[in-house]
Amino acid sequence: MKVSTALCSAALGVGLGTLLLPGAALADTTVSPATTPVGGTVVLTATTCNPKSGDAIFRVTGPNRDQNVRSTTAAAGGGLSAELFTAGFTLGTYTVTATCGDGSSAGSATFTVTPIGAAPAGSGGDSRDNGTLAAGGTLLGTAVAGAVILFRRRRPVSAVA
Amino acid sequence: MSSRRTLPAVVALLGVTGLGLITVGLTADPARPPRPPVDAPARTHPAPDLAPLPRAAPVRVRIPAIGVRAEVVPVGADAAGVLEVPPLDRPTLAGWYRHGVSPGETGNAVLVGHVDSPAGPAVFFDLGRLRAGQEIQITRADAAVTTFTVDDVRAYPKDRFPSSLVYGPADAAGLRLITCGGRFDAGTGNYVDNIIVFATRTT
């Protein structure tokens, strides 16, 4: 909303022949990457802040957090950047609102802190094959019964011999 | 005469075969879950223009194509930041990642479920069998029932889990179902892949 308002007023300004700072039309904040596993680092950039007018302030708000981060470096593509380390962050989505050193708003962006890596969602299953077990049990039972019958039939024979 | 010799041989053969089958039965590989295509980029069909729903926890998931009807409980992440899964002794439950959006809100809601447990196949055993166009119905705590249609089903090696595709921002209401799959590594006690279903809300 803020961005589109800026774009509209810039277009109107150009239409009226008014001199405007070109950067004002592109007020923007970026977070890279937009998702990070908890504990990862994201780079916050206010692309339109002029380093000459002082540090930018990034206000980071989210599930359990409301903190200000001061810019530390001039961004390669223009503007000012800060690194944000997400160790200890609650998982969820955060909003970053940037203000340039001259007090002007530099827009906002969101990023998401995610669980680490993959989901441990299996145990390898049941390592017993019940069908085979039942068949084996039946055969073994038959064998035992057979052995008993043979043993009982053989005893009188051996007694005679 | 001959039966006297044959019968003990038959009995011995039965005994040996029976013991062999029992041994095989105790050590057999369990049933393995179906395996979708590996690690290709997922695609998303254009989402219909639906007004997003307010936040409400999902309470039931139904996937008619693979016979899933399950209760859903909220899950988070453990102290190390790894996604929680419902306890292995309740393998018929699915878990909803509560730090993300709820099904029907704008963004991707995430459900996770076991593929199997020591008791055998679990709630999401057949997830890899789902195909594009099949439906997933979610009942929410506010009694709304919302339907998602499968866009794609993919397997990803766990060391290349596509976090941004699963948890990242989205313009429409999406759903991600996660379970395990691929080869089971007995050494680590884990499957090597995650199976992920990508779906978009259609009603």
Side-chain angles (χ1 to χ4, degrees), chain A residues 28 30 43-51 56 58 71-82:
Chain A
D28 204 6
T30 62
V43 177
L44 317 176
T45 304
T47 58
T48 55
C49 291
N50 184 347
F58 300 95
S71 65
T72 52
T73 50
L80 288 164
S81 285

Side-chain angles (χ1 to χ4, degrees), chain A residues 9-32:
Chain A
S9 48
L12 186 64
V14 171
L16 292 172
T18 312
L19 278 174
L20 282 174
L21 286 174
L26 297 164
D28 204 6
T29 293
T30 62
V31 182
S32 178

Side-chain angles (χ1 to χ4, degrees), chain B residues 96-107:
Chain B
W96 165 57
Y97 174 63
R98 63 188 166 84
H99 299 297
V101 300
S102 66
E105 282 186 278
T106 301

